[in-house]
PDB file of all heavy atoms in Angstrom:
ATOM      1  N   LYS A 236      55.398  90.925 121.693  1.00 90.00           N
ATOM      2  CA  LYS A 236      55.923  89.695 122.264  1.00 90.00           C
ATOM      3  C   LYS A 236      56.250  89.940 123.730  1.00 90.00           C
ATOM      4  O   LYS A 236      56.909  90.919 124.078  1.00 90.00           O
ATOM      5  CB  LYS A 236      57.180  89.247 121.517  1.00 90.00           C
ATOM      6  CG  LYS A 236      57.689  87.889 121.972  1.00 90.00           C
ATOM      7  CD  LYS A 236      58.839  87.412 121.089  1.00 90.00           C
ATOM      8  CE  LYS A 236      59.304  86.025 121.528  1.00 90.00           C
ATOM      9  NZ  LYS A 236      60.384  85.506 120.658  1.00 90.00           N
ATOM     10  N   LEU A 237      55.772  89.052 124.595  1.00 90.00           N
ATOM     11  CA  LEU A 237      55.987  89.177 126.028  1.00 90.00           C
ATOM     12  C   LEU A 237      56.974  88.123 126.511  1.00 90.00           C
ATOM     13  O   LEU A 237      57.105  87.047 125.909  1.00 90.00           O
ATOM     14  CB  LEU A 237      54.663  89.029 126.776  1.00 90.00           C
ATOM     15  CG  LEU A 237      53.575  90.046 126.408  1.00 90.00           C
ATOM     16  CD1 LEU A 237      52.269  89.707 127.119  1.00 90.00           C
ATOM     17  CD2 LEU A 237      54.019  91.461 126.739  1.00 90.00           C
ATOM     18  N   PHE A 238      57.642  88.423 127.595  1.00 84.00           N
ATOM     19  CA  PHE A 238      58.633  87.507 128.162  1.00 84.00           C
ATOM     20  C   PHE A 238      58.029  86.132 128.432  1.00 84.00           C
ATOM     21  O   PHE A 238      58.673  85.101 128.235  1.00 84.00           O
ATOM     22  CB  PHE A 238      59.182  88.123 129.444  1.00 84.00           C
ATOM     23  CG  PHE A 238      60.164  87.262 130.195  1.00 84.00           C
ATOM     24  CD1 PHE A 238      61.306  86.792 129.573  1.00 84.00           C
ATOM     25  CD2 PHE A 238      59.948  86.926 131.519  1.00 84.00           C
ATOM     26  CE1 PHE A 238      62.223  86.009 130.252  1.00 84.00           C
ATOM     27  CE2 PHE A 238      60.855  86.152 132.212  1.00 84.00           C
ATOM     28  CZ  PHE A 238      61.998  85.689 131.580  1.00 84.00           C
ATOM     29  N   ILE A 239      56.778  86.107 128.846  1.00 88.00           N
ATOM     30  CA  ILE A 239      56.112  84.853 129.194  1.00 88.00           C
ATOM     31  C   ILE A 239      55.975  83.920 127.992  1.00 88.00           C
ATOM     32  O   ILE A 239      55.915  82.694 128.146  1.00 88.00           O
ATOM     33  CB  ILE A 239      54.714  85.160 129.789  1.00 88.00           C
ATOM     34  CG1 ILE A 239      54.092  83.901 130.375  1.00 88.00           C
ATOM     35  CG2 ILE A 239      53.804  85.768 128.770  1.00 88.00           C
ATOM     36  CD1 ILE A 239      52.729  84.138 130.984  1.00 88.00           C
ATOM     37  N   ASP A 240      55.932  84.477 126.780  1.00 89.00           N
ATOM     38  CA  ASP A 240      55.667  83.651 125.597  1.00 89.00           C
ATOM     39  C   ASP A 240      56.724  82.576 125.385  1.00 89.00           C
ATOM     40  O   ASP A 240      56.425  81.498 124.877  1.00 89.00           O
ATOM     41  CB  ASP A 240      55.567  84.535 124.351  1.00 89.00           C
ATOM     42  CG  ASP A 240      54.363  85.455 124.384  1.00 89.00           C
ATOM     43  OD1 ASP A 240      53.350  85.081 125.000  1.00 89.00           O
ATOM     44  OD2 ASP A 240      54.433  86.554 123.801  1.00 89.00           O
ATOM     45  N   ASP A 241      57.964  82.867 125.746  1.00 85.00           N
ATOM     46  CA  ASP A 241      59.046  81.894 125.565  1.00 85.00           C
ATOM     47  C   ASP A 241      59.537  81.309 126.889  1.00 85.00           C
ATOM     48  O   ASP A 241      60.550  80.608 126.919  1.00 85.00           O
ATOM     49  CB  ASP A 241      60.239  82.536 124.831  1.00 85.00           C
ATOM     50  CG  ASP A 241      59.922  82.843 123.376  1.00 85.00           C
ATOM     51  OD1 ASP A 241      58.983  82.222 122.839  1.00 85.00           O
ATOM     52  OD2 ASP A 241      60.595  83.706 122.788  1.00 85.00           O
ATOM     53  N   LEU A 242      58.817  81.587 127.975  1.00 82.00           N
ATOM     54  CA  LEU A 242      59.214  81.049 129.278  1.00 82.00           C
ATOM     55  C   LEU A 242      58.891  79.563 129.314  1.00 82.00           C
ATOM     56  O   LEU A 242      57.737  79.155 129.166  1.00 82.00           O
ATOM     57  CB  LEU A 242      58.476  81.785 130.395  1.00 82.00           C
ATOM     58  CG  LEU A 242      58.864  81.446 131.834  1.00 82.00           C
ATOM     59  CD1 LEU A 242      60.334  81.737 132.071  1.00 82.00           C
ATOM     60  CD2 LEU A 242      58.011  82.254 132.807  1.00 82.00           C
ATOM     61  N   ASP A 243      59.898  78.733 129.506  1.00 75.00           N
ATOM     62  CA  ASP A 243      59.731  77.285 129.409  1.00 75.00           C
ATOM     63  C   ASP A 243      59.787  76.659 130.799  1.00 75.00           C
ATOM     64  O   ASP A 243      59.828  77.339 131.820  1.00 75.00           O
ATOM     65  CB  ASP A 243      60.817  76.702 128.509  1.00 75.00           C
ATOM     66  CG  ASP A 243      60.421  75.346 127.933  1.00 75.00           C
ATOM     67  OD1 ASP A 243      59.303  74.878 128.206  1.00 75.00           O
ATOM     68  OD2 ASP A 243      61.240  74.751 127.218  1.00 75.00           O
ATOM     69  N   SER A 244      59.844  75.339 130.826  1.00 71.00           N
ATOM     70  CA  SER A 244      59.786  74.577 132.066  1.00 71.00           C
ATOM     71  C   SER A 244      60.970  74.861 132.981  1.00 71.00           C
ATOM     72  O   SER A 244      62.065  75.189 132.536  1.00 71.00           O
ATOM     73  CB  SER A 244      59.764  73.079 131.761  1.00 71.00           C
ATOM     74  OG  SER A 244      58.656  72.760 130.961  1.00 71.00           O
ATOM     75  N   SER A 245      60.701  74.711 134.266  1.00 75.00           N
ATOM     76  CA  SER A 245      61.756  74.797 135.256  1.00 75.00           C
ATOM     77  C   SER A 245      61.861  73.434 135.933  1.00 75.00           C
ATOM     78  O   SER A 245      62.230  72.457 135.297  1.00 75.00           O
ATOM     79  CB  SER A 245      61.449  75.912 136.261  1.00 75.00           C
ATOM     80  OG  SER A 245      62.482  76.049 137.197  1.00 75.00           O
ATOM     81  N   THR A 246      61.484  73.340 137.178  1.00 88.00           N
ATOM     82  CA  THR A 246      61.609  72.092 137.940  1.00 88.00           C
ATOM     83  C   THR A 246      60.302  71.306 137.906  1.00 88.00           C
ATOM     84  O   THR A 246      59.242  71.846 138.232  1.00 88.00           O
ATOM     85  CB  THR A 246      61.970  72.407 139.409  1.00 88.00           C
ATOM     86  OG1 THR A 246      63.152  73.204 139.430  1.00 88.00           O
ATOM     87  CG2 THR A 246      62.193  71.124 140.193  1.00 88.00           C
ATOM     88  N   LEU A 247      60.361  70.039 137.517  1.00 91.00           N
ATOM     89  CA  LEU A 247      59.164  69.195 137.521  1.00 91.00           C
ATOM     90  C   LEU A 247      58.762  68.903 138.956  1.00 91.00           C
ATOM     91  O   LEU A 247      59.560  68.422 139.756  1.00 91.00           O
ATOM     92  CB  LEU A 247      59.424  67.891 136.768  1.00 91.00           C
ATOM     93  CG  LEU A 247      58.256  66.884 136.756  1.00 91.00           C
ATOM     94  CD1 LEU A 247      57.045  67.477 136.048  1.00 91.00           C
ATOM     95  CD2 LEU A 247      58.684  65.575 136.082  1.00 91.00           C
ATOM     96  N   LEU A 248      57.508  69.191 139.281  1.00 93.00           N
ATOM     97  CA  LEU A 248      56.996  68.939 140.623  1.00 93.00           C
ATOM     98  C   LEU A 248      56.251  67.622 140.691  1.00 93.00           C
ATOM     99  O   LEU A 248      56.568  66.750 141.499  1.00 93.00           O
ATOM    100  CB  LEU A 248      56.072  70.090 141.060  1.00 93.00           C
ATOM    101  CG  LEU A 248      55.362  69.922 142.408  1.00 93.00           C
ATOM    102  CD1 LEU A 248      56.369  69.751 143.540  1.00 93.00           C
ATOM    103  CD2 LEU A 248      54.457  71.130 142.673  1.00 93.00           C
ATOM    104  N   GLN A 249      55.256  67.465 139.823  1.00 90.00           N
ATOM    105  CA  GLN A 249      54.441  66.255 139.849  1.00 90.00           C
ATOM    106  C   GLN A 249      53.665  66.133 138.547  1.00 90.00           C
ATOM    107  O   GLN A 249      53.028  67.094 138.109  1.00 90.00           O
ATOM    108  CB  GLN A 249      53.464  66.310 141.034  1.00 90.00           C
ATOM    109  CG  GLN A 249      52.628  65.051 141.232  1.00 90.00           C
ATOM    110  CD  GLN A 249      51.542  65.253 142.263  1.00 90.00           C
ATOM    111  OE1 GLN A 249      50.528  65.870 142.010  1.00 90.00           O
ATOM    112  NE2 GLN A 249      51.782  64.737 143.467  1.00 90.00           N
ATOM    113  N   ASP A 250      53.721  64.967 137.931  1.00 91.00           N
ATOM    114  CA  ASP A 250      52.975  64.687 136.700  1.00 91.00           C
ATOM    115  C   ASP A 250      53.259  65.755 135.637  1.00 91.00           C
ATOM    116  O   ASP A 250      54.329  65.803 135.085  1.00 91.00           O
ATOM    117  CB  ASP A 250      51.480  64.573 136.997  1.00 91.00           C
ATOM    118  CG  ASP A 250      51.173  63.412 137.931  1.00 91.00           C
ATOM    119  OD1 ASP A 250      51.928  62.419 137.903  1.00 91.00           O
ATOM    120  OD2 ASP A 250      50.201  63.502 138.703  1.00 91.00           O
ATOM    121  N   HIS A 251      52.277  66.636 135.387  1.00 92.00           N
ATOM    122  CA  HIS A 251      52.428  67.658 134.341  1.00 92.00           C
ATOM    123  C   HIS A 251      52.789  69.018 134.908  1.00 92.00           C
ATOM    124  O   HIS A 251      52.871  70.001 134.162  1.00 92.00           O
ATOM    125  CB  HIS A 251      51.110  67.777 133.557  1.00 92.00           C
ATOM    126  CG  HIS A 251      50.580  66.478 133.055  1.00 92.00           C
ATOM    127  ND1 HIS A 251      51.091  65.850 131.933  1.00 92.00           N
ATOM    128  CD2 HIS A 251      49.602  65.666 133.526  1.00 92.00           C
ATOM    129  CE1 HIS A 251      50.436  64.716 131.732  1.00 92.00           C
ATOM    130  NE2 HIS A 251      49.530  64.589 132.684  1.00 92.00           N
ATOM    131  N   CYS A 252      52.993  69.108 136.195  1.00 95.00           N
ATOM    132  CA  CYS A 252      53.156  70.394 136.881  1.00 95.00           C
ATOM    133  C   CYS A 252      54.626  70.720 137.114  1.00 95.00           C
ATOM    134  O   CYS A 252      55.356  69.944 137.735  1.00 95.00           O
ATOM    135  CB  CYS A 252      52.411  70.361 138.217  1.00 95.00           C
ATOM    136  SG  CYS A 252      52.527  71.891 139.171  1.00 95.00           S
ATOM    137  N   PHE A 253      55.050  71.884 136.602  1.00 94.00           N
ATOM    138  CA  PHE A 253      56.405  72.381 136.810  1.00 94.00           C
ATOM    139  C   PHE A 253      56.354  73.617 137.700  1.00 94.00           C
ATOM    140  O   PHE A 253      55.330  74.299 137.787  1.00 94.00           O
ATOM    141  CB  PHE A 253      57.057  72.753 135.474  1.00 94.00           C
ATOM    142  CG  PHE A 253      57.339  71.575 134.579  1.00 94.00           C
ATOM    143  CD1 PHE A 253      56.325  71.005 133.824  1.00 94.00           C
ATOM    144  CD2 PHE A 253      58.606  71.039 134.495  1.00 94.00           C
ATOM    145  CE1 PHE A 253      56.565  69.921 132.993  1.00 94.00           C
ATOM    146  CE2 PHE A 253      58.870  69.950 133.661  1.00 94.00           C
ATOM    147  CZ  PHE A 253      57.849  69.388 132.920  1.00 94.00           C
TER     148      PHE A 253
END
Side-chain angles (χ1 to χ4, degrees):
K236 186 173 182 178
L237 301 174
F238 177 56
I239 190 179
D240 294 330
D241 291 339
L242 186 59
D243 202 2
S244 301
S245 182
T246 305
L247 177 62
L248 175 59
Q249 184 189 76
D250 297 331
H251 309 282
C252 180
F253 292 79

